[in-house]
Amino acid sequence: MTGGRKTPISSHPEGEGPTSRTESPPPAGEEWNRVFEMVVRDFSEEVKAEIEAEIEAMVNSKMAEALAPLQLVLDGGQKRLEEGKKRLEELQKVAAERSQQVGVLERKVAGLAVTQAQLEAQVEDQEHRSRQQNLRIVGLPEGIEGRDPTKYVAQMLGSLVGRESFPNPPEIDTAHRSYRPKPKAGNQPRAIIAKMHRYQDLERILIWARQSNNCSWEGNKIRIYQDIGAHLVKRRAKFNTAKAALYKNGARCEMLYPATLWVTYQGRDHFFKVPAEADKFVAEHSWKSGGKGSDETPAERD
């Protein structure tokens, strides 16, 4: 130690001499400010990113918590929607099957309706045919026929029509009052239904009945008709308007079985199965009639 001054100890390892080092002078002025701004900016961006990440995570967490109940509702709604869609598809399938079944049933019902109409027509035809030889006698008091109405009616018809047509009383299969409750005293008596054994006898009686304006028996005014069903009576009644006009113009009108209007006008025959056709004929021809029609005696042709 000399002169009180310590010699500096080299920090370099042995074998190595001191190295010359040039240190940068500290930045100053604008350069220092630029460096500082860069450091602050980098730090700010890092902090900003961290803050944004934390905020985003917090917001997402809060939103997840807030939306969790709604998500459950949406999930439940989605499930019900899928179930409803499935149910709707099943209903559509069932509806298609039912529609096919309904179509089949409609065709069957239509066929049955046709069959029913045919059967009803057959039954009605059989009923009318079973009555073709029946007479309906209206106006005889209750009980006048006694205990044997068949014999009583046969003798009455033979006497009324005359021996020219019936040398012997006409043969009758059966005779009875119409099937309805017996009326009280003073009310209109029930008609007597008589089934003739021969259709020719029925025709003779009906011709005589139409020619006799005032027919009476034992002081009772009576009327004799062919017995037909109520349905057929309604069908024939639809021709009444045309028949009245035709009679007025001198035409001869008769009903053929079951409900066909036979018109003889100015020597020509016309047949109408529909009332509208008869009405049309009246409208076209009745005004042309200037005189009487055929002088032929009407005859029952049913």
Side-chain angles (χ1 to χ4, degrees), residues 5 22 56 149 162-163 168 180 187 198 210 219 249 269:
R5 186 176 181 182
T22 304
E56 183 177 0
R163 292 189 176 276
N168 298 311
R180 65 183 180 88
N187 292 342
R198 297 178 181 82
R210 280 196 300 270
N249 285 274
D269 291 331

Side-chain angles (χ1 to χ4, degrees), residues 127-174:
E127 178 188 0
H128 298 327
R129 290 187 183 279
S130 68
R131 293 185 172 192
Q132 269 193 300
Q133 293 182 205
N134 289 3
L135 286 175
R136 176 177 290 264
I137 305 170
V138 180
L140 289 176
E142 292 281 339
I144 194 174
E145 67 275 16
R147 301 177 64 89
D148 191 353
T150 302
K151 181 179 180 180
Y152 179 85
V153 172
Q155 292 176 347
M156 179 190 72
L157 292 175
S159 299
L160 286 172
V161 178
R163 292 189 176 276
E164 294 80 5
S165 298
F166 296 113
N168 298 311
E171 188 174 356
I172 298 177
D173 293 337
T174 182

